[in-house]
Amino acid sequence: MSAPVNLQELVGQLDRLEAEAADAIAAAASAEALEELRVGLLGKKGRLSGVLGAMGKLPAPERPLVGQRANRLKEQVQGLMAERLQAVKGAAMAKRIAQETLDVTAPCSFVPPGHRHPLIATVEEIVDLFAGLGYRVSEGPEIETDYYNFTALNIPEHHPARDMQDTFYLPGDRLLRTHTSPVQIRHLENNPPPVRIVAPGRVYRRDAVDATHSPVFHQVEVLAIDEGLDFSHLRGTVTTFLQQFFGDLPVRFRASYFPFTEPSAEVDVQWRGRWLEVMGCGMVDPAVLQGLGLDPERWSGFAAGLGVERFCMVRHGIDDIRRLFTSDLRFLEQF
Ligand code: DAH
């Protein structure tokens, strides 16, 4: 038989528990300490549960008295804990504020501000100008197939135009693209006209390095296909673009030849007293449209391609293309 239990004893235990709890709560110094107290007092295996466990041994009519006393104790303890938690948090914050100092006179750690490379800034400026004319950006891979780089652009296998664009060949009919023109084909394969796009990107040629040549350089391709486009649209677009980029300089179109345009032209601007060739362009050759399954009786358009290095060098008066690729900060920091 376990020890006999009586009402006075249980109520006495609850009174003592309440007094002890009040002292312990008042002494708790942190939120963690309060949580530990809560578990010890009110948790499943806590002291209040212990007292209530013994309640079952009382005669039935006395049990509610202990139950009510226990509930009051619980509410009392919870109230004290909530109050104490507020106080403890407030004190912690006050302490932190008192301890933390901010020395507004301390010297900052200097991180030199970076900026975009002049070549990238030039690409962005060109793309921005075309975006203002309603053009979207489209991109293609630098590793191309012979088909997209040449054949689909009306440059069949033994065409002499291939000689001027010798490149780096990879196994399996792949090569490093020699121009951004293949993006014209890729875009039209996936997007029915009308289209207006600019395609910026890196291109490669088997060229020896000198002041004006680099085996790696950058181009921006332009393509517009719609119903009823003719050479006047090409001329208007290219002239508007060049005037926005270079200012209001004289522009001239010279007849030229590209396999994928007919007629074709090269464009010069008069810069510091001499004519400077800045881009190639033309009306997209009907053979190219036909190869894409587009009816040249219905669709027409123009294309253009420009070398970004040339635009960048003219704009900034840079005399040697190699300066754009050697990452010399003394040079680059001027821009
Ligand atoms: N792809 C030519 C090149 O790299 C440049 C060019 C000329 C692009 C005329 C065009 C164009 O779209 O119409 O030499």
Side-chain angles (χ1 to χ4, degrees), residues 67-133:
Q68 281 161 16
R69 176 71 187 90
N71 279 340
R72 247 192 297 123
L73 182 147
K74 193 172 168 186
E75 274 165 24
Q76 174 82 1
V77 166
Q78 282 171 337
L80 288 174
M81 285 197 161
E83 258 171 50
R84 182 67 190 149
L85 187 61
Q86 282 306 105
V88 163
K89 281 186 178 164
M93 179 57 78
K95 188 173 163 198
R96 209 180 128 192
I97 290 170
Q99 277 176 353
E100 273 183 0
T101 54
L102 180 66
D103 181 357
V104 293
T105 66
C108 66
S109 52
F110 180 70
V111 180
H115 61 78
R116 299 203 297 305
H117 190 283
L119 207 47
I120 301 308
T122 306
V123 172
E124 289 181 357
E125 187 178 341
I126 293 168
V127 167
D128 257 13
L129 291 177
F130 277 99
L133 296 173

Side-chain angles (χ1 to χ4, degrees), residues 165 178-179 181 184 205 219 221-222 258 260-261 280-282 303-305:
Q165 299 199 1
T178 58
H179 50 179
S181 301
Q184 293 186 29
R205 294 213 190 152
Q219 290 188 334
E221 192 79 13
V222 184
F258 299 103
F260 37 90
T261 46
C281 61

Side-chain angles (χ1 to χ4, degrees), residues 31-175:
E32 293 75 32
L34 277 170
E35 177 59 13
E36 225 172 88
L37 272 179
R38 191 191 63 77
V39 173
L41 290 167
L42 307 180
K44 272 203 190 90
K45 294 175 185 157
R47 294 176 60 192
L48 184 61
S49 294
V51 177
L52 291 176
M55 189 173 79
K57 293 175 186 160
L58 288 177
E62 294 179 350
R63 288 178 204 161
L65 297 174
V66 177
Q68 281 161 16
R69 176 71 187 90
N71 279 340
R72 247 192 297 123
L73 182 147
K74 193 172 168 186
E75 274 165 24
Q76 174 82 1
V77 166
Q78 282 171 337
L80 288 174
M81 285 197 161
E83 258 171 50
R84 182 67 190 149
L85 187 61
Q86 282 306 105
V88 163
K89 281 186 178 164
M93 179 57 78
K95 188 173 163 198
R96 209 180 128 192
I97 290 170
Q99 277 176 353
E100 273 183 0
T101 54
L102 180 66
D103 181 357
V104 293
T105 66
C108 66
S109 52
F110 180 70
V111 180
H115 61 78
R116 299 203 297 305
H117 190 283
L119 207 47
I120 301 308
T122 306
V123 172
E124 289 181 357
E125 187 178 341
I126 293 168
V127 167
D128 257 13
L129 291 177
F130 277 99
L133 296 173
Y135 285 67
R136 283 180 43 198
V137 174
S138 183
E139 285 175 306
E142 291 172 27
I143 295 177
E144 261 302 0
T145 61
D146 183 275
Y147 174 75
Y148 285 108
N149 197 78
F150 294 123
T151 315
L153 288 162
N154 207 26
I155 314 175
E157 192 144 352
H158 298 291
H159 197 286
R162 288 198 178 204
D163 292 348
M164 291 186 297
Q165 299 199 1
D166 198 10
T167 182
F168 303 89
Y169 293 88
L170 299 155
D173 217 32
R174 292 175 310 158
L175 46 80

Side-chain angles (χ1 to χ4, degrees), residues 103-301:
D103 181 357
V104 293
T105 66
C108 66
S109 52
F110 180 70
V111 180
H115 61 78
R116 299 203 297 305
H117 190 283
L119 207 47
I120 301 308
T122 306
V123 172
E124 289 181 357
E125 187 178 341
I126 293 168
V127 167
D128 257 13
L129 291 177
F130 277 99
L133 296 173
Y135 285 67
R136 283 180 43 198
V137 174
S138 183
E139 285 175 306
E142 291 172 27
I143 295 177
E144 261 302 0
T145 61
D146 183 275
Y147 174 75
Y148 285 108
N149 197 78
F150 294 123
T151 315
L153 288 162
N154 207 26
I155 314 175
E157 192 144 352
H158 298 291
H159 197 286
R162 288 198 178 204
D163 292 348
M164 291 186 297
Q165 299 199 1
D166 198 10
T167 182
F168 303 89
Y169 293 88
L170 299 155
D173 217 32
R174 292 175 310 158
L175 46 80
L176 297 185
R177 68 177 178 190
T178 58
H179 50 179
T180 44
S181 301
V183 184
Q184 293 186 29
I185 307 299
R186 288 183 176 275
H187 189 86
L188 284 172
E189 277 181 352
N190 296 310
N191 303 273
V195 306
R196 279 172 178 71
I197 54 155
V198 268
R202 194 171 289 158
V203 301
Y204 303 82
R205 294 213 190 152
R206 193 179 157 280
D207 277 337
V209 177
D210 65 23
T212 54
H213 291 86
S214 161
V216 185
F217 58 104
H218 299 74
Q219 290 188 334
V220 175
E221 192 79 13
V222 184
L223 175 70
I225 303 285
D226 206 333
E227 284 169 310
L229 289 183
D230 60 40
F231 204 92
S232 68
H233 299 105
L234 164 59
R235 201 183 155 89
T237 304
V238 166
T239 307
T240 302
F241 159 66
L242 290 174
Q243 284 177 348
Q244 288 186 21
F245 189 91
F246 288 110
D248 201 4
L249 300 175
V251 173
R252 79 177 177 192
F253 286 65
R254 265 184 300 110
S256 184
Y257 171 78
F258 299 103
F260 37 90
T261 46
E262 177 62 32
S264 307
E266 275 166 292
V267 187
D268 304 334
V269 294
Q270 205 169 61
W271 177 262
R272 298 190 177 154
R274 62 192 180 104
W275 288 106
L276 199 72
E277 179 196 322
V278 290
M279 59 202 289
C281 61
M283 300 307 293
V284 174
D285 196 303
V288 173
L289 295 174
Q290 254 154 3
L292 287 158
L294 296 172
D295 177 6
E297 296 295 323
R298 177 172 177 203
W299 301 106
S300 62

